[in-house]
Amino acid sequence: MISGKTETYVDNKRKDDVRQANIMAAKAVADAVRTSLGPRGMDKMLSTSSGEVIITNDGATILLKMEVLQPAAKMLVELSKSQDIVAGDGTTTVVVIAGALLKQCIALLGKGVHPTIISDAFHRASLKAVEVLTSMAIPVELSDREALVKNASTSLNSKVVSQYSSLLAPLAVDAVLNVVDPARPDSVDLRDIKVIKKLGGTVDDTEMIKGLVFDKKASHTAGGPTRVENAKIGLIQFQISPPKTDIEQNVIVSDYTQMDRILKEERNHILGMIKKIKATGCNVLLIQKSILRDAVTELSLHYLAKAKILVVKDVERDEIEFISKTLNCLPIANIEHFRAEKLGQAELVEEVSVGDGRIVKISGIKNMGRTTTILVRGSNQLVLDEAERSLHDALCVVRCLVNKRFLIAGGGAPEIEASRQLGAWAKTLQGMESYCVRAFAEALEVIPYTLAENAGLNPITIVTELRNHHANGEVNTGINVRKGQITNILEENVVQPLLVSTSAVSLATECVRMILKIDDIVTVR
């Protein structure tokens, strides 16, 4: 079989088999999540080995919990993870696109096209597709709250909690806008938004709290206060308990008077510490969890209660940064450094009962840092977890818009438009590249096809009609899943950030190119 330069190519059997196996495995993973794409997508129930049950619609969560053994299929799991990090939403989309591209690869490889040629053509096509998507985008301002809310609610529509999107979407937008730093207007750290889950009530009771919430009770020993006004809050990282030696050792006391002295010394030690704390005017103490020994003893809690100081103990190590940022105070590591200027100030610290537990709520914080707390409620653990995941997606969507302030239509419109323009571009190319680009263009149609299929419409009719509309220059026409027909999607308020679509296309292409380049799997003992 000798012809032109390297147009045809006969590979040996083994390499074909490995490639085939890789592509098949990765495609199987993609098909598993395909049904959960879009607002009418189904949910997956995941049952873990420990007997825990998760119900979710989020592509990244599904793939993360799936036990994938085939190495190439693991790449798809990584793919949805990276989409989750970059954009936060579109984790199902990215896997579905990758699956469709792999399907086209099988056809092209079957015709004898060399994998490297396919790979390079796909790379060019993906760059072109990103260009097309960017040219469709509509700029948006952060002051335009309505547009941001539309985005967040589009992201929530495909989730289990979609009926609450009118409540959760504005909540997510406000939370992100609260933590945007004017000094660095285009970056948002989602760690500044703390989500606390509390069982009981319904998702309707979810609220955003200006202030700080601890998912614990105040300590009730010896009738300490549970409500303090004009609070001065100290965040301490040392222990209020009798000192211990660093090594395990025993002190043998033979004399009763000596025993009394030890107890007395202990008491004086603790009292001395509490006097120092009280002298600064501090009346709320947040105590970090300690591993070495008890951070507080019964005795010290008793004296703290007498001094009318509200105590929240066992504050986690990783929350310290968030707390000190919110309260605008400094963590204090040693009693000698306990000074008034290191304390945070707030109007009210009180313990409120929520659902079946109690939480400590700090409100009216003076010069509060740019952080926000969201209290999520739900009637059962599954709904609660899913609400938190969906909220995370919505927050990520708003964050995408802060990073890259462009909107794009949803409902399969951008994919069809990119597919149409790539098809037209393929006709201007020569040789094998033209075939590969055309295959890429066809693969992009999987998104509208799947959307229609999941909504129970006839996919072939819908996609053909969509192509027709787009050929007439109606760029923003997409599938309106609720009405089951084709409409202008922008008028239906189905919008998504540009970053979600562009990163989905480029990440999926990158992953497919890697799978194509693999021609052998070597197991290393």
Side-chain angles (χ1 to χ4, degrees):
M1 237 175 126
I2 304 160
S3 69
K5 271 178 164 165
T6 51
E7 287 293 320
T8 54
Y9 164 79
V10 186
D11 203 338
N12 50 10
K13 189 82 185 87
R14 167 98 203 272
K15 295 189 171 162
D16 264 358
D17 285 349
V18 169
R19 215 171 261 130
Q20 234 30 23
N22 278 346
I23 291 178
M24 279 314 190
K27 238 182 89 213
V29 171
D31 289 341
V33 286
R34 218 181 98 173
T35 49
S36 65
L37 182 80
R40 287 278 183 274
M42 297 296 160
D43 298 339
K44 303 271 181 268
M45 191 177 217
L46 310 167
S47 162
T48 56
S49 49
S50 60
E52 177 192 9
V53 175
I54 302 171
I55 297 179
T56 181
N57 191 307
D58 179 40
T61 313
I62 297 171
L63 289 178
L64 199 66
K65 300 284 178 200
M66 265 182 10
E67 298 229 339
V68 182
L69 296 175
Q70 218 274 354
K74 276 190 183 147
M75 285 167 62
L76 281 196
V77 179
E78 294 298 318
L79 170 71
S80 78
K81 228 192 250 173
S82 56
Q83 171 77 359
D84 199 29
I85 294 166
V86 175
D89 199 24
T91 45
T92 319
T93 314
V94 73
V95 177
V96 172
I97 292 179
L101 287 173
L102 288 169
K103 193 175 169 191
Q104 296 289 346
C105 288
I106 294 181
L108 288 170
L109 289 169
K111 289 179 186 153
V113 186
H114 193 287
T116 318
I117 294 179
I118 303 179
S119 169
D120 292 346
F122 273 13
H123 182 57
R124 282 188 62 183
S126 81
L127 293 178
K128 181 79 176 169
V130 170
E131 259 174 54
V132 172
L133 293 174
T134 316
S135 65
M136 288 176 65
I138 308 150
V140 63
E141 283 304 315
L142 283 190
S143 51
D144 182 6
R145 184 162 173 274
E146 206 170 294
L148 300 180
V149 173
K150 282 178 198 169
N151 258 297
S153 64
T154 304
S155 156
L156 289 167
N157 272 341
S158 61
K159 306 283 186 268
V160 182
V161 290
S162 57
Q163 67 264 37
Y164 302 113
S165 62
S166 55
L167 166 84
L168 293 178
L171 204 107
V173 171
D174 291 343
V176 173
L177 291 183
N178 271 351
V179 299
V180 175
D181 189 356
R184 290 174 311 166
D186 47 4
S187 71
V188 173
D189 188 359
L190 285 188
R191 281 177 305 203
D192 290 343
I193 300 172
K194 190 169 162 203
V195 179
I196 289 184
K197 301 182 289 189
K198 216 53 179 138
L199 203 59
T202 58
V203 183
D204 280 327
D205 302 335
T206 302
E207 54 177 341
M208 188 169 85
I209 294 165
K210 283 285 272 184
L212 198 58
V213 171
F214 291 99
D215 194 7
K216 336 184 157 38
K217 322 192 275 215
S219 115
H220 285 281
T221 324
T226 53
R227 176 192 164 98
V228 175
E229 288 180 14
N230 292 336
K232 287 197 173 144
I233 306 163
L235 175 62
I236 64 172
Q237 294 180 304
F238 56 87
Q239 294 94 1
I240 308 185
S241 55
K244 253 189 185 169
T245 47
D246 288 340
I247 40 178
E248 272 297 313
Q249 54 168 316
N250 297 333
V251 180
I252 298 170
V253 183
S254 51
D255 191 357
Y256 277 120
T257 53
Q258 300 292 349
M259 270 167 90
D260 280 351
R261 246 182 82 190
I262 290 179
L263 287 175
K264 212 177 202 166
E265 282 301 319
E266 273 187 16
R267 204 171 303 156
N268 286 346
H269 179 80
I270 291 174
L271 271 173
M273 283 173 115
I274 290 174
K275 275 182 187 148
K276 275 184 188 163
I277 291 173
K278 193 67 186 159
T280 56
C282 163
N283 51 13
V284 175
L285 264 192
L286 312 175
I287 303 179
Q288 183 186 319
K289 220 177 198 164
S290 164
I291 5 171
L292 299 174
R293 53 182 209 215
D294 299 333
V296 279
T297 56
E298 289 292 308
L299 191 63
S300 56
L301 282 176
H302 171 81
Y303 284 130
L304 282 168
K306 274 202 163 160
K308 294 275 180 287
I309 296 178
L310 187 146
V311 180
V312 179
K313 54 181 196 209
D314 294 345
V315 174
E316 291 294 338
R317 180 69 201 261
D318 42 8
E319 288 177 13
I320 294 284
E321 191 186 344
F322 182 84
I323 295 169
S324 55
K325 193 171 180 178
T326 311
L327 291 176
N328 210 351
C329 67
L330 293 169
I332 303 163
N334 194 325
I335 183 72
E336 304 304 329
H337 303 154
F338 203 100
R339 296 192 206 95
E341 61 264 25
K342 290 195 177 180
L343 303 181
Q345 295 183 337
E347 284 168 24
L348 181 65
V349 178
E350 62 172 340
E351 186 183 73
V352 279
S353 68
V354 170
D356 55 353
R358 316 188 72 122
I359 58 173
V360 176
K361 199 166 164 184
I362 302 180
S363 48
I365 300 171
K366 290 209 179 85
N367 20 1
M368 175 173 161
R370 295 189 165 275
T371 59
T372 302
T373 305
I374 297 175
L375 188 63
V376 181
R377 309 293 304 280
S379 50
N380 63 29
Q381 201 56 47
L382 301 178
V383 172
L384 200 56
D385 291 343
E386 183 59 9
E388 186 199 18
R389 276 192 292 272
S390 310
L391 194 60
H392 174 74
D393 274 11
L395 289 172
C396 286
V397 165
V398 184
R399 185 189 66 182
C400 281
L401 278 181
V402 175
N403 291 351
K404 201 170 181 186
R405 299 179 184 180
F406 286 101
L407 287 181
I408 193 169
E415 283 84 5
I416 278 282
E417 182 60 26
S419 166
R420 190 186 67 78
Q421 293 200 25
L422 282 176
W425 183 56
K427 287 179 185 154
T428 64
L429 299 170
Q430 273 115 33
M432 276 299 164
E433 199 168 29
S434 159
Y435 271 100
C436 300
V437 172
R438 190 173 316 152
F440 189 95
E442 278 174 25
L444 283 179
E445 288 181 359
V446 72
I447 298 290
Y449 187 93
T450 311
L451 276 178
E453 197 177 45
N454 287 348
L457 311 169
N458 183 348
I460 297 172
T461 332
I462 292 273
V463 173
T464 317
E465 209 176 314
L466 255 183
R467 267 193 223 140
N468 190 4
H469 278 281
H470 277 261
N472 296 336
E474 299 172 24
V475 184
N476 291 325
T477 312
I479 304 171
N480 183 351
V481 179
R482 290 202 190 83
K483 292 185 182 159
Q485 62 207 49
I486 289 179
T487 52
N488 182 337
I489 280 291
L490 281 186
E491 289 165 12
E492 298 289 334
N493 297 339
V494 178
V495 282
Q496 57 191 19
L498 173 64
L499 195 60
V500 171
S501 297
T502 52
S503 81
V505 171
S506 45
L507 287 173
T509 314
E510 207 170 278
C511 182
V512 169
R513 287 180 65 201
M514 265 182 83
I515 292 178
L516 268 183
K517 290 263 175 99
I518 298 169
D519 69 347
D520 214 340
I521 295 179
V522 182
T523 43
V524 183
R525 281 280 167 266

